[in-house]
Coordinates of all heavy atoms in Angstrom, one line a residue:
M1 N 113.7 121.0 136.8 CA 112.4 120.8 136.2 C 112.2 122.0 135.2 O 112.4 123.1 135.5 CB 111.3 120.7 137.2 CG 110.0 120.4 136.6 SD 108.6 120.3 137.8 CE 109.3 119.2 139.0
V2 N 111.7 121.6 134.0 CA 111.5 122.6 133.0 C 110.1 122.3 132.4 O 109.8 121.1 132.1 CB 112.5 122.6 131.9 CG1 112.2 123.5 130.7 CG2 113.9 122.9 132.4
Y3 N 109.3 123.3 132.1 CA 108.0 123.2 131.4 C 108.1 123.8 130.1 O 108.6 125.0 130.0 CB 106.9 123.9 132.2 CG 106.6 123.2 133.5 CD1 107.0 123.9 134.7 CD2 106.0 122.0 133.7 CE1 106.8 123.3 135.9 CE2 105.8 121.4 134.9 CZ 106.2 122.1 136.0 OH 105.9 121.5 137.2
L4 N 107.8 123.1 129.0 CA 107.8 123.7 127.7 C 106.3 123.7 127.2 O 105.7 122.6 127.3 CB 108.6 122.8 126.7 CG 110.1 122.6 127.1 CD1 110.8 121.6 126.2 CD2 110.8 124.0 127.1
Q5 N 105.9 124.8 126.7 CA 104.5 124.9 126.3 C 104.4 125.3 124.8 O 105.1 126.2 124.3 CB 103.7 126.0 127.1 CG 102.3 126.1 126.8 CD 101.5 126.9 127.8 OE1 102.1 127.5 128.7 NE2 100.2 127.0 127.6
L6 N 103.5 124.5 124.1 CA 103.2 124.8 122.7 C 101.7 124.8 122.6 O 101.1 123.7 122.7 CB 103.9 123.8 121.8 CG 103.6 124.0 120.3 CD1 104.1 125.4 119.8 CD2 104.2 122.9 119.5
G7 N 101.1 125.9 122.4 CA 99.6 125.9 122.4 C 99.1 125.5 123.8 O 99.5 126.0 124.8
D8 N 98.2 124.5 123.7 CA 97.6 124.0 125.0 C 98.4 122.8 125.5 O 98.0 122.2 126.6 CB 96.1 123.5 124.7 CG 95.2 124.7 124.4 OD1 95.5 125.8 124.8 OD2 94.2 124.5 123.7
T9 N 99.5 122.4 124.9 CA 100.2 121.3 125.4 C 101.4 121.8 126.2 O 102.1 122.7 125.8 CB 100.8 120.5 124.2 OG1 99.7 120.0 123.4 CG2 101.6 119.3 124.6
V10 N 101.6 121.1 127.4 CA 102.7 121.4 128.3 C 103.5 120.1 128.4 O 103.0 119.1 128.8 CB 102.3 121.9 129.7 CG1 103.4 122.1 130.6 CG2 101.4 123.2 129.5
L11 N 104.8 120.2 128.1 CA 105.7 119.1 128.3 C 106.6 119.4 129.5 O 107.3 120.5 129.6 CB 106.6 118.9 127.1 CG 107.7 117.9 127.1 CD1 107.1 116.5 127.3 CD2 108.6 117.9 125.9
E12 N 106.6 118.5 130.5 CA 107.4 118.7 131.7 C 108.6 117.8 131.7 O 108.5 116.6 131.4 CB 106.5 118.3 132.9 CG 107.2 118.3 134.2 CD 106.3 117.9 135.4 OE1 105.1 118.2 135.4 OE2 106.8 117.2 136.3
L13 N 109.8 118.3 131.8 CA 111.0 117.6 131.8 C 111.7 117.7 133.2 O 111.8 118.7 133.8 CB 112.0 118.1 130.7 CG 111.5 118.2 129.3 CD1 112.4 118.9 128.4 CD2 111.2 116.8 128.8
E14 N 112.1 116.5 133.7 CA 112.8 116.5 135.0 C 114.1 115.7 134.9 O 114.2 114.8 134.1 CB 111.9 115.7 136.0 CG 110.7 116.4 136.4 CD 109.9 115.7 137.5 OE1 110.5 114.7 138.1 OE2 108.8 116.1 137.8
Q15 N 115.1 116.1 135.6 CA 116.3 115.4 135.7 C 116.4 114.8 137.1 O 116.3 115.5 138.1 CB 117.5 116.3 135.6 CG 118.8 115.5 135.7 CD 120.0 116.4 135.5 OE1 119.9 117.6 135.2 NE2 121.2 115.8 135.6
W16 N 116.5 113.4 137.2 CA 116.5 112.7 138.5 C 117.9 112.8 139.0 O 118.8 112.6 138.3 CB 116.0 111.3 138.2 CG 114.6 111.2 137.7 CD1 114.2 111.2 136.5 CD2 113.4 111.2 138.5 NE1 112.8 111.1 136.4 CE2 112.3 111.2 137.6 CE3 113.2 111.3 139.9 CZ2 111.0 111.1 138.1 CZ3 111.8 111.3 140.3 CH2 110.8 111.2 139.4
T17 N 117.9 112.9 140.4 CA 119.2 112.8 141.1 C 119.2 111.6 142.0 O 118.2 110.9 142.1 CB 119.4 114.1 141.9 OG1 118.4 114.1 143.0 CG2 119.2 115.4 141.1
S18 N 120.3 111.3 142.6 CA 120.4 110.2 143.5 C 119.5 110.3 144.7 O 119.2 109.4 145.4 CB 121.8 110.0 143.9 OG 122.3 111.1 144.6
D19 N 119.0 111.6 145.0 CA 118.1 111.8 146.1 C 116.7 111.4 145.9 O 115.9 111.4 146.8 CB 118.2 113.3 146.5 CG 119.5 113.8 147.0 OD1 120.3 112.9 147.4 OD2 119.8 115.0 147.0
K20 N 116.3 111.2 144.6 CA 115.0 110.9 144.3 C 114.9 109.6 143.4 O 115.6 109.5 142.5 CB 114.4 112.1 143.5 CG 112.9 112.0 143.3 CD 112.4 113.3 142.7 CE 110.9 113.2 142.4 NZ 110.3 114.3 141.8
E21 N 114.0 108.8 143.8 CA 113.9 107.5 143.1 C 112.8 107.6 142.1 O 111.6 108.0 142.4 CB 113.6 106.4 144.1 CG 113.4 105.0 143.4 CD 113.0 103.9 144.4 OE1 113.3 104.1 145.6 OE2 112.4 103.0 144.0
N22 N 113.0 107.3 140.8 CA 112.0 107.2 139.8 C 111.2 106.0 140.0 O 111.7 104.9 139.9 CB 112.7 107.2 138.4 CG 111.7 107.4 137.3 OD1 110.5 107.3 137.5 ND2 112.2 107.7 136.1
K23 N 109.9 106.2 140.2 CA 109.0 105.0 140.5 C 108.3 104.5 139.2 O 107.3 103.9 139.3 CB 108.0 105.4 141.5 CG 108.6 105.7 142.9 CD 107.5 106.0 143.9 CE 108.2 106.2 145.2 NZ 107.2 106.6 146.3
G24 N 108.8 104.9 138.1 CA 108.2 104.4 136.8 C 107.8 105.5 135.9 O 108.1 106.7 136.2
Y25 N 107.2 105.2 134.8 CA 106.9 106.2 133.8 C 105.7 107.0 134.3 O 104.8 106.6 135.1 CB 106.6 105.6 132.5 CG 107.8 105.0 131.9 CD1 108.0 103.6 132.0 CD2 108.7 105.7 131.3 CE1 109.1 103.0 131.4 CE2 109.9 105.2 130.7 CZ 110.0 103.8 130.8 OH 111.1 103.2 130.3
H26 N 105.6 108.3 133.9 CA 104.6 109.2 134.4 C 104.1 110.0 133.2 O 104.9 110.5 132.4 CB 105.2 110.1 135.4 CG 104.4 111.3 135.7 ND1 104.8 112.6 135.4 CD2 103.2 111.5 136.3 CE1 104.0 113.5 135.8 NE2 102.9 112.9 136.3
F27 N 102.9 110.2 133.0 CA 102.3 111.1 132.1 C 101.1 111.8 132.7 O 100.5 111.3 133.6 CB 102.0 110.5 130.7 CG 101.0 109.4 130.7 CD1 99.7 109.7 130.5 CD2 101.4 108.1 131.0 CE1 98.7 108.7 130.5 CE2 100.5 107.1 131.0 CZ 99.1 107.3 130.7
C28 N 100.7 113.0 132.1 CA 99.6 113.8 132.6 C 98.6 114.1 131.5 O 99.0 114.4 130.4 CB 100.2 115.1 133.2 SG 98.9 116.2 133.9
L29 N 97.4 113.9 131.9 CA 96.3 114.3 131.0 C 95.4 115.4 131.6 O 95.2 115.4 132.8 CB 95.4 113.0 130.7 CG 96.1 111.8 130.2 CD1 95.2 110.6 130.3 CD2 96.6 112.1 128.7
I30 N 95.0 116.3 130.7 CA 94.1 117.4 131.2 C 92.6 116.9 131.0 O 92.3 116.4 129.9 CB 94.3 118.7 130.4 CG1 95.8 119.1 130.5 CG2 93.4 119.8 130.8 CD1 96.3 119.4 131.9
S31 N 91.8 117.1 132.0 CA 90.4 116.6 132.0 C 89.5 117.9 132.0 O 89.7 118.8 132.7 CB 90.2 115.8 133.2 OG 88.8 115.5 133.3
D32 N 88.5 117.8 131.1 CA 87.4 118.8 131.1 C 86.4 118.5 132.1 O 85.5 119.3 132.4 CB 86.8 118.9 129.7 CG 87.8 119.5 128.7 OD1 88.7 120.3 129.0 OD2 87.6 119.1 127.5
D33 N 86.4 117.3 132.6 CA 85.4 116.8 133.6 C 86.1 116.1 134.7 O 86.0 114.8 134.8 CB 84.3 116.0 133.0 CG 83.3 115.5 133.9 OD1 83.2 116.0 135.1 OD2 82.5 114.5 133.6
F34 N 86.9 116.8 135.5 CA 87.8 116.1 136.5 C 87.0 115.2 137.4 O 87.3 114.0 137.6 CB 88.5 117.2 137.3 CG 89.5 116.6 138.3 CD1 90.8 116.4 138.0 CD2 89.1 116.2 139.6 CE1 91.7 115.8 138.9 CE2 90.0 115.6 140.5 CZ 91.3 115.5 140.1
D35 N 85.9 115.7 138.1 CA 85.2 114.9 139.0 C 84.6 113.7 138.4 O 84.6 112.6 138.9 CB 84.1 115.7 139.7 CG 84.7 116.8 140.6 OD1 85.9 116.6 141.1 OD2 84.1 117.9 140.8
G36 N 84.0 113.8 137.2 CA 83.4 112.7 136.5 C 84.5 111.7 136.1 O 84.2 110.5 136.2
D37 N 85.6 112.1 135.5 CA 86.7 111.2 135.1 C 87.2 110.5 136.3 O 87.5 109.3 136.3 CB 87.8 111.9 134.4 CG 87.3 112.4 133.0 OD1 86.4 111.8 132.4 OD2 88.0 113.4 132.5
Y38 N 87.4 111.2 137.4 CA 87.9 110.6 138.7 C 87.0 109.5 139.1 O 87.4 108.4 139.4 CB 88.1 111.6 139.8 CG 88.4 111.1 141.1 CD1 89.7 110.6 141.4 CD2 87.5 111.0 142.1 CE1 90.0 110.0 142.6 CE2 87.8 110.4 143.3 CZ 89.1 110.0 143.6 OH 89.4 109.4 144.8
A39 N 85.7 109.8 139.2 CA 84.7 108.8 139.6 C 84.6 107.6 138.7 O 84.5 106.4 139.3 CB 83.3 109.5 139.7
R40 N 84.7 107.8 137.4 CA 84.7 106.6 136.5 C 85.9 105.7 136.7 O 85.8 104.5 136.7 CB 84.6 107.1 135.1 CG 83.2 107.5 134.7 CD 83.1 107.9 133.2 NE 83.7 109.2 132.8 CZ 83.1 110.3 133.1 NH1 81.9 110.4 133.6 NH2 83.7 111.5 132.7
L41 N 87.1 106.3 136.8 CA 88.3 105.5 137.0 C 88.3 104.8 138.3 O 88.7 103.6 138.4 CB 89.5 106.4 136.9 CG 89.8 106.9 135.4 CD1 90.8 108.1 135.4 CD2 90.3 105.8 134.6
V42 N 87.9 105.4 139.4 CA 87.8 104.7 140.7 C 86.8 103.6 140.6 O 87.0 102.5 141.1 CB 87.4 105.8 141.8 CG1 87.0 105.0 143.1 CG2 88.6 106.7 142.1
A43 N 85.6 103.8 140.0 CA 84.6 102.8 139.8 C 85.1 101.6 139.0 O 84.7 100.5 139.2 CB 83.3 103.4 139.2
A44 N 86.0 101.9 138.1 CA 86.6 100.8 137.2 C 87.7 100.1 138.0 O 88.3 99.1 137.4 CB 87.1 101.4 135.9
G45 N 88.1 100.5 139.2 CA 89.0 99.8 140.0 C 90.5 100.3 139.7 O 91.4 99.6 140.1
V46 N 90.7 101.4 139.1 CA 92.0 101.9 138.8 C 92.6 102.4 140.2 O 92.0 103.3 140.8 CB 92.1 103.0 137.8 CG1 93.5 103.5 137.6 CG2 91.5 102.5 136.4
P47 N 93.7 101.9 140.6 CA 94.3 102.3 141.9 C 94.7 103.7 142.0 O 95.4 104.2 141.0 CB 95.5 101.4 142.1 CG 95.4 100.3 141.1 CD 94.6 100.9 140.0
V48 N 94.3 104.4 143.1 CA 94.7 105.8 143.3 C 96.1 105.8 144.0 O 96.2 105.3 145.1 CB 93.7 106.6 144.1 CG1 94.1 108.0 144.4 CG2 92.3 106.6 143.3
E49 N 97.1 106.5 143.4 CA 98.4 106.6 144.0 C 98.4 107.9 144.9 O 99.1 107.8 146.0 CB 99.4 106.7 142.9 CG 100.9 106.9 143.4 CD 101.5 105.6 143.9 OE1 100.9 104.5 143.7 OE2 102.5 105.7 144.5
K50 N 97.8 109.0 144.5 CA 97.7 110.2 145.3 C 96.3 110.8 145.1 O 95.9 111.0 144.0 CB 98.8 111.2 144.8 CG 98.9 112.4 145.7 CD 100.2 113.1 145.5 CE 100.3 114.2 146.6 NZ 101.6 114.8 146.7
E51 N 95.7 111.0 146.2 CA 94.3 111.5 146.2 C 94.2 112.8 145.6 O 95.1 113.6 145.5 CB 93.7 111.5 147.6 CG 93.6 110.1 148.3 CD 92.5 109.3 147.6 OE1 91.5 109.8 147.1 OE2 92.6 108.0 147.7
P52 N 93.0 113.2 145.1 CA 92.8 114.5 144.5 C 93.2 115.6 145.5 O 92.9 115.6 146.7 CB 91.3 114.6 144.2 CG 90.9 113.2 144.1 CD 91.7 112.4 145.0
H53 N 93.8 116.6 145.0 CA 94.2 117.8 145.8 C 94.4 119.0 144.8 O 94.4 118.8 143.6 CB 95.5 117.5 146.5 CG 96.7 117.1 145.7 ND1 96.8 115.9 145.0 CD2 97.7 117.9 145.3 CE1 97.9 115.9 144.3 NE2 98.5 117.1 144.5
I54 N 94.6 120.2 145.4 CA 94.8 121.3 144.5 C 96.3 121.7 144.7 O 96.8 122.1 145.7 CB 94.0 122.5 145.0 CG1 92.5 122.1 144.7 CG2 94.3 123.8 144.2 CD1 91.5 123.2 145.2
P55 N 97.1 121.5 143.6 CA 98.5 121.8 143.7 C 98.8 123.2 143.3 O 97.9 124.0 142.9 CB 99.1 120.9 142.6 CG 98.0 120.8 141.5 CD 96.7 120.9 142.3
S56 N 100.1 123.6 143.4 CA 100.5 124.9 142.9 C 100.4 124.9 141.4 O 100.8 123.9 140.7 CB 102.0 125.2 143.3 OG 102.1 125.2 144.7
P57 N 99.8 125.9 140.8 CA 99.7 126.0 139.3 C 101.0 126.1 138.6 O 101.9 126.8 139.1 CB 98.8 127.2 139.1 CG 99.0 128.1 140.3 CD 99.3 127.1 141.4
R58 N 101.1 125.4 137.5 CA 102.3 125.5 136.7 C 102.2 126.7 135.7 O 103.2 127.3 135.3 CB 102.5 124.2 135.8 CG 102.8 123.0 136.7 CD 102.8 121.7 135.8 NE 101.5 121.6 135.2 CZ 101.3 120.5 134.4 NH1 102.1 119.6 134.2 NH2 100.1 120.4 133.8
T59 N 100.9 127.0 135.4 CA 100.6 128.1 134.5 C 99.4 128.8 135.1 O 98.7 128.2 135.9 CB 100.3 127.7 133.1 OG1 99.1 126.9 133.1 CG2 101.4 126.9 132.4
P60 N 99.2 130.1 134.8 CA 98.1 130.9 135.4 C 96.8 130.2 135.2 O 95.9 130.2 136.1 CB 98.2 132.2 134.7 CG 99.7 132.4 134.4 CD 100.1 131.0 134.0
Q61 N 96.5 129.6 134.0 CA 95.2 129.0 133.7 C 95.0 127.8 134.6 O 93.8 127.3 134.7 CB 95.1 128.6 132.3 CG 95.8 127.4 131.9 CD 96.8 127.6 130.8 OE1 97.3 128.7 130.6 NE2 97.1 126.5 130.0
E62 N 96.0 127.2 135.3 CA 95.8 126.1 136.1 C 95.4 126.4 137.6 O 95.3 125.6 138.4 CB 97.0 125.2 136.1 CG 97.3 124.5 134.8 CD 98.5 123.6 134.9 OE1 99.1 123.4 135.9 OE2 98.7 122.9 133.8
T63 N 95.3 127.7 137.9 CA 94.9 128.1 139.2 C 93.6 127.5 139.6 O 92.6 127.6 138.9 CB 94.8 129.7 139.3 OG1 96.1 130.2 138.9 CG2 94.5 130.1 140.7
G64 N 93.6 126.8 140.8 CA 92.4 126.2 141.3 C 92.1 124.8 140.7 O 91.2 124.1 141.1
W65 N 92.9 124.3 139.7 CA 92.7 123.0 139.2 C 93.0 121.9 140.3 O 93.8 122.1 141.2 CB 93.7 122.8 138.0 CG 93.3 123.3 136.7 CD1 92.3 124.3 136.5 CD2 93.8 123.0 135.4 NE1 92.2 124.6 135.2 CE2 93.1 123.8 134.5 CE3 94.8 122.1 135.0 CZ2 93.4 123.8 133.1 CZ3 95.1 122.1 133.7 CH2 94.4 122.9 132.7
K66 N 92.4 120.8 140.1 CA 92.6 119.6 140.9 C 93.6 118.7 140.2 O 93.8 118.8 139.0 CB 91.3 118.9 141.2 CG 90.3 119.6 142.0 CD 89.1 118.8 142.1 CE 87.9 119.6 142.8 NZ 86.7 118.8 142.8
R67 N 94.3 117.9 141.0 CA 95.2 116.9 140.5 C 95.0 115.6 141.2 O 94.8 115.6 142.5 CB 96.7 117.4 140.8 CG 97.8 116.4 140.4 CD 99.1 117.0 140.8 NE 100.2 116.2 140.3 CZ 100.9 115.3 141.1 NH1 100.6 115.2 142.4 NH2 101.8 114.6 140.6
V68 N 95.1 114.5 140.5 CA 95.1 113.1 141.1 C 96.1 112.3 140.3 O 96.4 112.6 139.2 CB 93.7 112.5 141.0 CG1 93.2 112.3 139.6 CG2 93.6 111.3 141.8
V69 N 96.6 111.3 141.0 CA 97.6 110.4 140.3 C 97.1 109.0 140.5 O 96.8 108.5 141.6 CB 99.0 110.5 140.9 CG1 100.0 109.6 140.1 CG2 99.5 112.0 140.7
F70 N 96.9 108.3 139.4 CA 96.5 106.9 139.4 C 97.7 106.0 139.1 O 98.7 106.5 138.5 CB 95.4 106.6 138.3 CG 94.1 107.2 138.6 CD1 93.8 108.5 138.1 CD2 93.2 106.6 139.4 CE1 92.6 109.1 138.4 CE2 92.0 107.2 139.7 CZ 91.7 108.4 139.2
K71 N 97.6 104.7 139.4 CA 98.7 103.8 139.0 C 98.2 102.9 137.9 O 97.1 102.2 138.0 CB 99.1 102.9 140.2 CG 100.3 102.1 140.0 CD 100.9 101.5 141.3 CE 102.3 101.9 141.3 NZ 102.9 101.6 142.6
G72 N 98.9 102.8 136.8 CA 98.5 102.0 135.7 C 98.9 100.6 135.8 O 99.6 100.2 136.8
P73 N 98.6 99.7 134.9 CA 98.8 98.3 135.0 C 100.2 97.9 135.0 O 100.6 96.8 135.5 CB 98.1 97.7 133.8 CG 98.0 98.8 132.8 CD 97.9 100.1 133.7
D74 N 101.1 98.7 134.5 CA 102.6 98.4 134.5 C 103.3 99.2 135.5 O 104.6 99.4 135.3 CB 103.1 98.6 133.1 CG 102.5 97.6 132.1 OD1 102.4 96.4 132.5 OD2 102.2 98.0 131.0
G75 N 102.6 99.8 136.4 CA 103.3 100.6 137.5 C 103.5 102.1 137.1 O 104.0 102.9 137.8
E76 N 103.1 102.4 135.8 CA 103.3 103.8 135.4 C 102.3 104.7 136.2 O 101.2 104.3 136.7 CB 103.0 104.0 133.9 CG 101.6 103.8 133.5 CD 101.2 102.3 133.3 OE1 101.9 101.4 133.7 OE2 100.1 102.1 132.7
L77 N 102.7 106.0 136.4 CA 101.9 106.9 137.1 C 101.1 107.8 136.1 O 101.7 108.3 135.2 CB 102.7 107.8 138.0 CG 103.5 107.0 139.1 CD1 104.4 108.0 139.9 CD2 102.6 106.2 140.0
I78 N 99.8 107.8 136.3 CA 98.9 108.5 135.3 C 98.3 109.7 136.1 O 97.5 109.5 137.0 CB 97.8 107.6 134.8 CG1 98.5 106.4 134.1 CG2 97.0 108.4 133.8 CD1 97.5 105.3 133.9
E79 N 98.7 110.9 135.7 CA 98.2 112.1 136.4 C 97.1 112.7 135.6 O 97.1 112.8 134.4 CB 99.4 113.1 136.5 CG 99.0 114.4 137.1 CD 100.2 115.4 137.2 OE1 101.3 115.0 136.9 OE2 99.9 116.6 137.4
F80 N 96.1 113.2 136.3 CA 95.0 114.0 135.7 C 95.0 115.3 136.4 O 95.1 115.4 137.6 CB 93.6 113.3 135.9 CG 93.3 112.3 134.9 CD1 93.8 111.0 135.0 CD2 92.3 112.5 133.9 CE1 93.5 110.0 134.0 CE2 92.0 111.6 133.0 CZ 92.6 110.3 133.1
R81 N 94.8 116.4 135.6 CA 94.6 117.7 136.1 C 93.3 118.3 135.5 O 93.0 118.0 134.3 CB 95.8 118.6 135.8 CG 97.0 118.3 136.6 CD 98.1 119.2 136.2 NE 99.3 119.0 137.0 CZ 99.8 119.8 137.9 NH1 99.2 121.0 138.1 NH2 100.8 119.5 138.6
G82 N 92.7 119.2 136.1 CA 91.6 119.8 135.5 C 90.7 120.5 136.6 O 90.9 120.4 137.7

């Protein structure tokens, strides 16, 4: 796994092995209002794939950020951090 950062944008690149199954496309969005965005998406019926939690930070500014993963209409995984 490699993280490439340009300004406020972080691109995460992964190489899949036979030990891990890719469950579809994945992208991540940064939220300025994590709790509000989470509540709106749940109220709209967007399925939660992984409940909100505090992950290990990828960069120092992400310390204490929350993370949640939703499932999109085509099976893609939509991650929010903030």
Side-chain angles (χ1 to χ4, degrees):
M1 183 179 309
V2 173
Y3 297 108
L4 303 174
Q5 184 170 0
L6 178 61
D8 291 336
T9 301
V10 177
L11 177 63
E12 176 181 323
L13 302 173
E14 293 185 8
Q15 179 179 358
W16 297 92
T17 67
S18 59
D19 296 340
K20 187 172 180 181
E21 180 182 335
N22 187 347
K23 295 183 179 179
Y25 295 100
H26 164 250
F27 62 93
C28 178
L29 302 168
I30 303 300
S31 171
D32 291 332
D33 179 15
F34 184 93
D35 294 330
D37 290 336
Y38 173 76
R40 282 186 284 283
L41 289 165
V42 168
V46 179
V48 176
E49 180 77 11
K50 187 161 187 170
E51 293 293 330
H53 61 285
I54 298 177
S56 297
R58 298 175 297 184
T59 63
Q61 78 239 25
E62 291 184 358
T63 300
W65 280 16
K66 295 178 187 173
R67 174 184 185 260
V68 65
V69 180
F70 291 95
K71 188 166 236 173
D74 294 318
E76 69 278 11
L77 300 178
I78 306 164
E79 176 183 348
F80 275 77
R81 287 179 178 251

